[in-house]
Amino acid sequence: QVQLVESGGGLVQAGGSLRLSCAASGSIFSVSAMGWYRQAPGKQRELVATISGGGSTNYGDSVKGRFTISRDNAKNTVYLQMNSLKPEDTAVYYCNALVKVTVWDMPGNYWAQGTQVTVSS
């Protein structure tokens, strides 16, 4: 079994910063791409940022220049540093990872439970 556990969400004023963390644990052979997605009330889930196993990054247009994704491969952990937060960043943030449980498996797509980020104006 593979678990993704998030931490770091909360309430912050506009212009402030938050850092999210997500650690993958359990029966893991390797972790490739990891990422963050978010879903606001009444809206579809959208890409925030992804990072490959080699460190290549991709960002959603609405967060470019404000958010930074990084990872610690030794800890199977991905981070999201969020700066200059806006009220429209308010959403539930979900961590995602592609995980191989054994060398023979295809990567499985795993999701964390989600953490609330609320930005007040």
Side-chain angles (χ1 to χ4, degrees):
Q1 283 284 24
V2 175
Q3 298 86 35
L4 298 182
V5 178
E6 300 172 339
S7 61
L11 173 65
V12 65
Q13 288 189 331
S17 298
L18 280 176
R19 189 190 194 211
L20 304 182
S21 300
C22 174
S25 64
S27 185
I28 295 173
F29 173 76
S30 67
V31 181
S32 53
M34 303 184 81
W36 294 93
Y37 295 76
R38 68 187 183 186
Q39 188 166 17
K43 295 187 177 181
Q44 290 188 330
R45 190 172 296 190
E46 65 173 356
L47 166 72
V48 176
T50 61
I51 184 167
S52 71
S56 297
T57 59
N58 181 48
Y59 293 93
D61 288 341
S62 61
V63 307
K64 286 180 180 177
R66 300 187 298 122
F67 291 10
T68 302
I69 189 170
S70 61
R71 64 188 289 169
D72 183 333
N73 289 333
K75 297 181 179 179
N76 289 328
T77 298
V78 63
Y79 306 97
L80 184 69
Q81 178 66 43
M82 304 184 291
N83 298 329
S84 302
L85 282 161
K86 305 175 181 180
E88 51 263 44
D89 294 317
T90 296
V92 178
Y93 284 69
Y94 296 92
C95 169
N96 172 261
L98 295 179
V99 179
K100 293 183 69 172
V101 175
T102 72
V103 65
W104 301 280
D105 288 338
M106 294 295 290
N109 193 26
Y110 293 87
W111 292 91
Q113 78 284 357
T115 187
Q116 178 70 44
V117 172
T118 302
V119 184
S120 63
S121 57

